[in-house]
């Protein structure tokens, strides 16, 4: 039986003051840190808390309950949490379980904007198994935390170079690893949230890969209506060549990664016979162009939007293969006995075939590189399982099954990001013409496990295919 709060002599002249350490104190976001409490009474209840402010000033917090060992220590890499934001032995639980503090603005999602500065996470150690309000306000019995520590979580290592790209109509940010190179490289594409998202690219560069984070939608520097995709394959081709032409890049060792709609854009690159990337990573995406037929905005797909009892919207049905316009579906061509066969183009009329070939279709007969396809099985933002099945079957029909590797994660949602990032099961999508909160799916612990495992598999996949 553990002693209650206030019943222990936590400080005495015979015992050093409690100490909370976190090592390393500065680390990349994908690195584990060791969090330990020492000089505590044996077999006693303690709470370890984490809190930080986002770049927008919002408070994020996590806490967990532990019981010290007979030597008066608690070690998050060894010991099991018995309650709080997570349970079990989770060395990085305080990082991936961070959530907006009570009373925060609705629809928050933690996304790094300035990758040249870290997240600063404040850790504290408190007596007893306490409530979040005790952790973060200092209220309750006792004189505040027993010990505190601070860690910095970075996306960029020292020496990584960040370069704004506004060249020949291309909008992006390039990250180059420290040193002269040439380096293997990655084109990095995000989804229909639009804008220019840099943090994954910065982390790739920190792991030795030159990376181009490419904007293609919803950015002020891209001409045309803000809420439609106004670029095509020529834009993607130019960006790919821009990355190849850098002297720091090994032009024959370039891969592509896409999340959500970025998967379709990545496959566009991979199926161009003049580009031939060495590999493609696809995270929770679609094999068709669901953005809106014939240059329409994404709102044109609203007949497939589904709302829950809270009014939150799921876009999952938008991306079901059967709901994507036939002209924008995946197409595979293969040669059998000198005749060309088209597989599969269900319900497509012959008179529309030329439009289909000339526009945003995926000509998988040109695909020659391996694909790592990552699926979150609790994805509410995309029909990820169905799309993975679709492309796997298409490649099998084209006798290219050996190119396809699937990683599937129960309990993981749409937003599979670098490890130890907290998941947003919902987030604000737009406020105009009306406020929309989007359902992404994912449960904290299995989603965190998926992020950690898939990130390591991604890096291994890139090493194997880009470094040779």
């Amino acid at each position: 039986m553990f002693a209650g709060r206030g019943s222990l002599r936590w400080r005495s002249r015979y015992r050093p003051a409690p100490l909370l350490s976190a090592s390393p104190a500065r680390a990349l976001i994908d690195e584990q840190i060791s969090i330990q409490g020492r000089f505590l009474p044996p077999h006693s209840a303690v709470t370890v808390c984490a809190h930080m402010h986002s770049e927008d000033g919002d408070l994020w917090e996590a806490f967990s309950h532990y019981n010290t060992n007979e030597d008066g220590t608690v070690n998050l890499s060894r010991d099991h949490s018995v309650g709080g934001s997570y349970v079990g032995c989770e060395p990085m639980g305080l990082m991936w379980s961070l959530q907006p503090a009570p009373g925060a603005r609705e629809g928050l999602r933690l996304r790094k904007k300035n990758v040249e500065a870290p997240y600063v996470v404040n850790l504290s150690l408190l007596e007893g198994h306490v409530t979040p309000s005790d952790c973060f306000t200092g209220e309750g019995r006792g004189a505040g935390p027993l010990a505190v520590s601070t860690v910095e979580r970075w996306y960029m290592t020292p020496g990584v170079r960040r370069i704004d790209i506004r060249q020949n109509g291309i909008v992006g940010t390039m990250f180059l690893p420290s040193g002269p190179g040439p380096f293997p490289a990655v084109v990095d594409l995000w989804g229909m949230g639009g804008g220019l998202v840099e943090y994954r690219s910065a982390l790739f560069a920190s792991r030795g890969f030159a990376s181009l984070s490419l904007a293609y939608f919803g950015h002020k520097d891209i001409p045309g209506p803000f809420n439609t995709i106004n670029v095509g394959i020529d834009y993607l081709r130019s960006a790919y060549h821009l990355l190849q032409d850098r002297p720091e890049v090994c032009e024959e060792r370039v891969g592509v990664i896409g999340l959500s709609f970025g998967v379709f854009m990545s496959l566009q690159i991979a199926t161009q016979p003049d580009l031939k990337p060495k590999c493609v990573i696809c995270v929770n995406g679609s094999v068709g162009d669901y953005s809106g037929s014939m240059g329409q905005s994404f709102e044109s797909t609203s007949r497939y939007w589904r709302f829950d009892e809270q009014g939150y919207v799921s876009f999952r049905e938008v991306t079901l293969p059967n709901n994507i316009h036939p002209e924008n579906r995946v197409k595979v061509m293969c040669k059998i006995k000198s005749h060309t066969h088209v597989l599969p183009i269900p319900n497509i009329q012959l008179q529309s075939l030329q439009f289909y070939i000339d526009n945003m279709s995926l000509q998988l007969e040109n695909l020659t590189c391996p694909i790592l396809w990552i699926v979150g099985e609790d994805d509410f933002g995309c029909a990820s399982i169905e799309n993975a099945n679709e492309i796997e079957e298409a490649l099998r029909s084209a006798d290219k099954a050996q190119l396809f590797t699937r990683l599937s994660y129960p309990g993981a949602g749409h937003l599979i990001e670098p490890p130890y990032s907290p998941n947003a099961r919902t987030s604000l999508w737009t406020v105009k013409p009306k406020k929309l909160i989007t359902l992404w799916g994912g449960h904290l612990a299995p989603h965190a496990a998926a992020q950690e495992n898939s990130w390591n598999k991604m890096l291994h996949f890139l090493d194997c295919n880009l470094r040779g």
Side-chain angles (χ1 to χ4, degrees), residues 429-449:
W429 175 259
T430 184
V431 294
K432 296 180 180 180
K434 66 177 182 178
K435 184 177 181 179
L436 280 179
I437 301 290
T438 303
L439 287 162
W440 301 118
H443 301 280
L444 277 179
H447 190 91

Side-chain angles (χ1 to χ4, degrees), residues 170-359:
I170 304 301
V171 179
T173 306
M174 187 173 296
F175 292 88
L176 298 172
S178 177
F183 303 102
V186 179
V187 178
D188 188 3
L189 294 152
W190 288 78
M192 289 294 289
L196 183 55
V197 183
E198 298 183 356
Y199 53 89
R200 187 169 62 189
S201 282
L203 194 54
F204 277 134
S206 298
R207 293 303 180 197
F209 299 95
S211 186
L212 173 62
S213 178
L214 183 63
Y216 61 87
F217 169 77
H219 194 283
K220 62 182 179 62
D221 293 335
I222 297 177
F226 196 74
N227 64 342
T228 63
I229 294 179
N230 307 301
V231 302
I233 189 58
D234 288 341
Y235 179 85
L236 299 176
R237 181 180 284 110
S238 296
Y240 188 90
H241 286 317
L242 183 148
L243 180 60
Q244 277 187 313
D245 291 343
R246 292 288 305 200
E248 303 92 343
V249 169
C250 182
E251 63 178 340
E252 300 299 323
R253 297 180 180 273
V254 179
V256 188
I257 181 172
L259 168 74
S260 194
F261 193 78
V263 166
F264 178 72
M265 302 298 271
S266 298
L267 293 173
Q268 282 285 303
I269 294 174
T271 54
Q272 300 306 307
D274 58 322
L275 297 182
K276 296 187 181 302
K278 288 294 184 182
C279 62
V280 180
I281 298 173
C282 302
V283 184
N284 284 333
S286 169
V287 297
D289 179 7
Y290 60 83
S291 62
S293 179
M294 302 290 288
Q296 297 173 350
S297 71
F298 183 63
E299 282 69 25
S300 67
T301 67
S302 60
R303 66 189 179 279
Y304 297 123
W305 298 5
R306 297 294 177 261
F307 294 85
D308 70 2
E309 63 279 1
Q310 295 177 278
Y312 297 166
V313 61
S314 167
F315 298 136
R316 185 183 181 280
E317 290 192 19
V318 174
T319 65
L320 283 169
N322 288 339
N323 290 341
I324 297 172
H325 195 283
E327 291 176 343
N328 297 338
R329 288 278 298 277
V330 61
K331 177 173 69 71
V332 178
M333 298 179 66
C334 57
K335 294 287 186 178
I336 304 178
K337 294 182 180 179
S338 299
H339 295 285
T340 300
H341 297 257
V342 179
L343 309 167
I345 317 179
N347 305 321
I348 189 167
Q349 300 297 315
L350 290 176
Q351 58 264 33
S352 66
L353 182 57
Q354 190 58 50
F355 172 88
Y356 183 51
I357 292 173
D358 291 343
N359 287 272

Side-chain angles (χ1 to χ4, degrees), residues 90 92-93 96-97 411-412 417-423 443-454:
E90 298 286 354
M92 295 296 288
W96 57 250
S97 68
E417 301 198 76
Y420 316 130
S421 308
N423 180 47
H443 301 280
L444 277 179
H447 190 91
Q451 291 190 152
E452 182 176 12
N453 183 269
S454 64

Side-chain angles (χ1 to χ4, degrees), residues 368-425:
T368 60
C369 68
I371 297 176
L372 180 64
W373 199 283
I374 295 169
V375 173
E377 296 183 12
D378 191 48
D379 189 347
F380 282 75
C382 180
S384 297
I385 296 173
E386 292 84 352
N387 278 274
N389 293 341
E390 180 95 348
I391 195 165
E392 185 172 20
E393 178 57 35
L395 289 170
R396 184 181 296 112
S397 298
D399 199 25
K400 295 190 174 188
Q402 75 281 359
L403 297 178
F404 186 84
T405 300
R406 182 194 307 213
L407 301 176
S408 195
Y409 297 100
H414 186 67
L415 302 173
I416 295 179
E417 301 198 76
Y420 316 130
S421 308
N423 180 47
R425 188 170 176 83

Side-chain angles (χ1 to χ4, degrees), residues 56-252:
D56 295 322
D58 297 294
L59 178 64
W60 292 67
E61 60 185 34
F63 72 104
S64 200
H65 296 153
Y66 289 89
N67 298 310
T68 64
N69 290 338
E70 61 183 14
D71 59 356
T73 67
V74 60
N75 184 334
L76 273 60
S77 299
R78 174 197 67 198
D79 300 328
H80 286 243
S81 164
V82 296
S85 300
Y86 60 92
V87 294
C89 184
E90 298 286 354
M92 295 296 288
L94 286 176
M95 303 301 159
W96 57 250
S97 68
L98 285 164
Q99 292 293 292
R105 296 180 294 141
E106 187 180 22
L108 292 179
R109 175 184 173 191
L110 192 64
R111 304 189 83 187
K112 199 75 176 73
K113 297 176 182 177
N114 178 13
V115 296
E116 295 179 297
Y119 284 128
V120 178
V121 184
N122 298 298
L123 305 174
S124 54
L125 179 66
L126 287 88
E127 177 187 354
H129 291 162
V130 300
T131 65
S133 62
D134 291 319
C135 287
F136 307 115
T137 66
E139 298 176 356
R141 192 180 304 171
L146 299 168
V148 297
S149 186
T150 301
V151 295
E152 295 181 358
R153 309 291 290 155
W154 290 82
Y155 284 92
M156 285 177 61
T157 55
V160 169
R161 290 165 286 169
R162 179 189 174 277
I163 303 168
D164 288 317
I165 300 295
R166 302 293 187 275
Q167 181 178 332
N168 299 328
I170 304 301
V171 179
T173 306
M174 187 173 296
F175 292 88
L176 298 172
S178 177
F183 303 102
V186 179
V187 178
D188 188 3
L189 294 152
W190 288 78
M192 289 294 289
L196 183 55
V197 183
E198 298 183 356
Y199 53 89
R200 187 169 62 189
S201 282
L203 194 54
F204 277 134
S206 298
R207 293 303 180 197
F209 299 95
S211 186
L212 173 62
S213 178
L214 183 63
Y216 61 87
F217 169 77
H219 194 283
K220 62 182 179 62
D221 293 335
I222 297 177
F226 196 74
N227 64 342
T228 63
I229 294 179
N230 307 301
V231 302
I233 189 58
D234 288 341
Y235 179 85
L236 299 176
R237 181 180 284 110
S238 296
Y240 188 90
H241 286 317
L242 183 148
L243 180 60
Q244 277 187 313
D245 291 343
R246 292 288 305 200
E248 303 92 343
V249 169
C250 182
E251 63 178 340
E252 300 299 323

Side-chain angles (χ1 to χ4, degrees), residues 184 207 209 253 458-468:
R207 293 303 180 197
F209 299 95
R253 297 180 180 273
M458 285 185 208
L459 294 179
H460 179 71
F461 183 77
L462 294 175
D463 277 334
C464 291
N465 290 287
L466 299 185
R467 299 191 196 275

